[in-house]
Amino acid sequence: MEKTTYQQTSRLSAALVLLLLAVSAMAQTDVTSSIVNPSFDGRGFGGWRNFGFQTQTNSSFDGKTYKAYAEKWVAAGGTLADSYLLQTITGLSNGQYTLSVAAANTQNGSAASGAYLVGNQKTTSIGASGSYSVPVHVPDRTAAIGLK
């Protein structure tokens, strides 16, 4: 009888159409246009500091909104450590924002740990495929956003 072996894979995928919303007492204002190249379509990682991610256009990540998404893929036994995809946004109004992203951090199809959505000093852990958000306080008209 032939033995079947399955290889585990680790994957962090994100449709980084990062939605940055200014939060006020009365309404939210979409400031996604402040992000350089939020969708990666046709421009790769232009505008981003990237270590370890690649763009992907397949249909493996159902959270994508545009043609491309960012992915960090690691073979069986590997970890997602020492990788990041970051951008510093300047010229924002000071205040409270919410950073949202569709993302997945999975190993062999199950939720994994060790990946985070970053908004200035705050982080949100990313696990199973879904929508994630992090509050972002902007005291100096600048926000550092992305994935780690």
Side-chain angles (χ1 to χ4, degrees):
M1 182 174 200
E2 187 175 308
K3 182 179 177 183
T4 303
T5 304
Y6 296 95
Q7 181 181 23
Q8 287 190 331
T9 59
S10 294
R11 173 181 305 225
L12 172 62
S13 302
L16 276 167
V17 178
L18 295 168
L19 182 60
L20 192 59
L21 297 171
V23 180
S24 69
M26 301 303 271
Q28 295 182 344
T29 302
D30 185 346
V31 294
T32 303
S33 62
S34 300
I35 301 169
V36 176
N37 189 24
S39 69
F40 311 118
D41 281 347
R43 293 187 53 205
F45 292 110
W48 294 88
R49 291 187 319 275
N50 175 29
F51 180 71
F53 281 81
Q54 61 272 345
T55 56
Q56 184 60 263
T57 58
N58 64 27
S59 60
S60 294
F61 178 55
D62 60 3
K64 72 179 186 174
T65 303
Y66 295 95
K67 180 180 174 183
Y69 64 95
E71 179 179 77
K72 169 66 176 161
W73 184 89
V74 180
T79 65
L80 293 172
D82 298 328
S83 59
Y84 58 81
L85 186 59
L86 301 170
Q87 184 175 138
T88 300
I89 303 169
T90 59
L92 296 170
S93 296
N94 289 343
Q96 296 297 110
Y97 293 78
T98 300
L99 176 64
S100 299
V101 64
N105 177 24
T106 59
Q107 183 169 30
N108 202 31
S110 298
S113 61
Y116 301 91
L117 177 62
V118 178
N120 278 348
Q121 301 301 317
K122 299 283 186 178
T123 62
T124 295
S125 182
I126 298 171
S129 184
S131 181
Y132 294 88
S133 62
V134 64
V136 182
H137 176 66
V138 175
D140 60 0
R141 301 180 50 89
T142 303
I145 63 167
L147 299 170
K148 285 187 176 182

